[in-house]
């Protein structure tokens, strides 16, 4: 018996179903609405106790799922709805059981939740634009251009650092002398 909340997504009713590590059928979040509201409140952000918060939680979990094939470890079941739990997942030097959801996964979903709530779309991040210079040239022509040479393309989000802890390393290794 799992407590579920309903939210409207795409015109249909979507149930918020929390993954506990037991490979819960239909799971679409690692975090309950109540836990999300408490987490946000601790950080001075008010979330509605409504389907709107469920929808943001589901979107945040969907964003984590975009890393599904890059996470450390292996899926426990081929049919599990979310990427976690996993076998052989070692995060920050500690092994996580195949029936546990690492705190980093929960923290990453909560960080993405706050970013989405603040208006950021993790799937289409807002590019960072450098300062703009404006010049008016004789003949009523105005030219605007970004001054400086900023090569930064996207914002660094709090969730990025947490997600990086859970990713498998590529074949490239840094060698320190």
């Amino acid at each position: 018996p799992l407590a579920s909340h309903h939210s409207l997504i795409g015109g249909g009713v979507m149930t918020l179903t929390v993954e506990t590590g037991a490979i819960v059928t239909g799971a679409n979040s690692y975090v309950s609405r109540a836990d999300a509201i408490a987490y946000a409140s601790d950080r001075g952000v008010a979330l509605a106790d409504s389907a709107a918060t469920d929808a943001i939680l589901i979107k945040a979990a969907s964003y984590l799922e975009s890393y599904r094939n890059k996470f450390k470890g292996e899926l426990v079941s081929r049919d599990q709805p979310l990427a976690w739990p996993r076998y052989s997942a070692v995060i920050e030097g500690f092994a996580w059981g195949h029936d546990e959801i690492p705190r980093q996964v929960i923290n990453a979903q909560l960080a993405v939740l706050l970013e989405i709530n603040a208006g950021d779309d993790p799937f289409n991040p807002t590019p960072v634009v450098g300062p703009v210079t404006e010049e008016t040239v004789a003949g009523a022509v105005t030219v605007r251009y970004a001054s400086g040479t900023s090569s930064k393309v996207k914002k660094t989000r709090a969730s990025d650092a947490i997600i990086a802890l859970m990713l498998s390393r590529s074949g490239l290794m840094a060698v320190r002398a």
Side-chain angles (χ1 to χ4, degrees), residues 62-151:
S62 295
Y63 179 68
L64 292 183
E65 287 303 295
S66 70
Y67 291 94
R68 187 180 183 99
N69 296 327
K70 297 176 183 171
F71 287 135
K72 294 177 179 181
E74 302 295 327
L75 294 176
V76 174
S77 164
R78 72 171 197 191
D79 297 323
Q80 69 187 72
L82 295 175
W84 296 89
R86 296 174 83 79
Y87 283 121
S88 308
V90 177
I91 302 172
E92 295 183 284
F94 293 93
W96 288 87
H98 68 278
D99 57 352
E100 294 181 292
I101 304 301
R103 65 178 162 73
Q104 293 88 345
V105 173
I106 293 165
N107 290 340
Q109 184 179 357
L110 289 165
V112 174
L113 164 93
L114 289 183
E115 292 160 4
I116 293 169
N117 187 65
D120 189 19
D121 179 355
F123 291 104
N124 297 295
T126 308
V128 174
V129 179
V132 174
T133 301
E134 180 174 305
E135 288 181 24
T136 301
V137 183
V141 174
T142 300
V143 179
R144 286 187 185 162
Y145 54 92
S147 59
T149 54
S150 175
S151 61

Side-chain angles (χ1 to χ4, degrees), residues 167-173:
L167 300 180
S168 295
R169 288 192 162 57
S170 66
L172 303 173
M173 300 268 301

Side-chain angles (χ1 to χ4, degrees), residues 2 6 14 30 33 51 81 83 89 98 113 122 142 145 166 168 174-175:
L2 185 69
H6 298 284
M14 185 63 145
Y30 299 104
R33 181 195 297 175
H98 68 278
L113 164 93
T142 300
Y145 54 92
M166 302 180 293
S168 295
V175 179

Side-chain angles (χ1 to χ4, degrees), residues 17-20 23-29 81-82:
T17 305
V18 178
E19 177 58 68
T20 62
I23 307 180
V24 177
T25 301
N28 54 12
S29 179
L82 295 175

